[in-house]
């Protein structure tokens, strides 16, 4: 069997109305993806207008790409660093006190390489309370970070991370347990 991209079919996938997506494209390009430091308050207001659920004390830095805000839920006191890409073809949920460092990628979709048509598949991502995606870290579709899990610099999470685990590498493996001093 060989790959046959002419048979690719993602007609089942409907991320929202074309008008809503087009409007978000321009809002995102102007207010989020540019290098200027527009206030987080304005960005949060705009995300809420497009259906995102946003808690208090959230900070969103410049050059952030969010595919579909209506598939985004952010808890209280979360940080989204510069040049983060949330490619949320499915739901992305951030618990309270979650940090996503600069250049990180949360990717909710991929292609099924096991079938010849290479069809799209999507799965949600859930980062629970106190978890942290290090700079340039990548999170694959369907991954859950349990409470206070850490993905280190440049690592790739392809499976769930246990609570208080620190993970490193590609694919990321647990290297130690997180201890938080008071």
């Amino acid at each position: 069997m060989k790959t046959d991209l002419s048979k690719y079919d993602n007609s089942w996938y409907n991320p929202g109305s074309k008008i809503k997506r087009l409007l978000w494209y321009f809002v995102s390009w102007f207010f989020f993806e540019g290098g200027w430091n527009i206030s987080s308050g304005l960005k949060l207001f705009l995300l809420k207008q497009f259906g995102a659920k946003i808690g208090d004390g959230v900070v969103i830095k410049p050059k952030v790409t969010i595919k579909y805000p209506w598939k985004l839920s952010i808890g209280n006191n979360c940080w989204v660093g510069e040049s983060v890409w949330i490619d949320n073809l499915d739901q992305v949920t951030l618990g309270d006190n979650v940090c996503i460092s600069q250049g990180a990628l949360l990717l909710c979709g991929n292609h099924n390489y096991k079938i010849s048509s290479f069809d799209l598949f999507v799965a949600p991502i859930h980062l629970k309370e106190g978890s942290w995606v290090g700079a340039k870290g990548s999170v694959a579709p369907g991954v859950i970070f349990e409470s206070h899990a850490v993905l280190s610099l440049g690592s790739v999470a392809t499976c769930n991370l246990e609570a208080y685990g620190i993970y490193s590498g590609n694919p990321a493996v647990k290297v130690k347990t997180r201890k938080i001093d008071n």
Side-chain angles (χ1 to χ4, degrees):
M1 180 77 59
K2 294 182 179 184
T3 300
D4 184 357
L5 297 179
S6 70
K7 297 191 182 321
Y8 176 79
D9 178 20
N10 72 338
S11 60
W12 60 269
Y13 183 70
N14 181 7
S17 77
K18 288 182 181 180
I19 293 171
K20 185 179 190 178
R21 287 184 284 149
L22 181 64
L23 187 56
W24 172 248
Y25 173 82
F26 288 108
V27 169
S28 177
W29 176 79
F30 187 78
F31 291 101
F32 288 80
E33 296 174 40
W36 46 92
N37 197 8
I38 295 172
S39 84
S40 281
L42 177 58
K43 292 176 191 175
L44 300 176
F45 171 79
L46 292 168
L47 285 170
K48 289 177 184 176
Q49 298 311 300
F50 278 90
K53 294 173 182 66
I54 308 286
D56 296 325
V58 174
V59 175
I60 298 182
K61 294 293 189 175
K63 298 181 183 177
V64 170
T65 300
I66 298 169
K67 181 75 110 193
Y68 302 128
W70 48 93
K71 294 179 178 277
L72 180 63
S73 178
I74 302 177
N76 298 317
N77 306 308
C78 291
W79 300 343
V80 178
E82 191 167 348
S83 299
V84 165
W85 182 10
I86 301 175
D87 194 25
N88 56 334
L89 297 173
D90 203 327
Q91 182 67 34
V92 168
T93 302
L94 309 180
D96 294 340
N97 301 296
V98 168
C99 178
I100 305 174
S101 292
Q102 61 272 21
L105 169 63
L106 278 58
L107 185 64
C108 288
N110 206 341
H111 295 276
N112 189 343
Y113 64 86
K114 294 179 181 179
I115 59 174
S116 65
S117 58
F118 207 55
D119 290 346
L120 175 70
F121 73 86
V122 299
I125 292 173
H126 190 170
L127 307 181
K128 294 184 180 180
E129 179 183 4
S131 58
W132 175 24
V133 179
K136 300 284 186 176
S138 297
V139 181
V143 170
I144 298 170
F145 282 38
E146 294 297 339
S147 175
H148 294 85
V150 175
L151 182 67
S152 69
L153 174 78
S155 297
V156 180
T158 58
C159 59
N160 296 344
L161 278 58
E162 69 182 45
Y164 291 89
I166 299 175
Y167 291 77
S168 185
N170 180 8
V173 295
K174 185 177 178 185
V175 294
K176 61 174 112 173
T177 299
R178 182 179 185 183
K179 292 181 174 63
I180 300 175
D181 297 329
N182 287 331

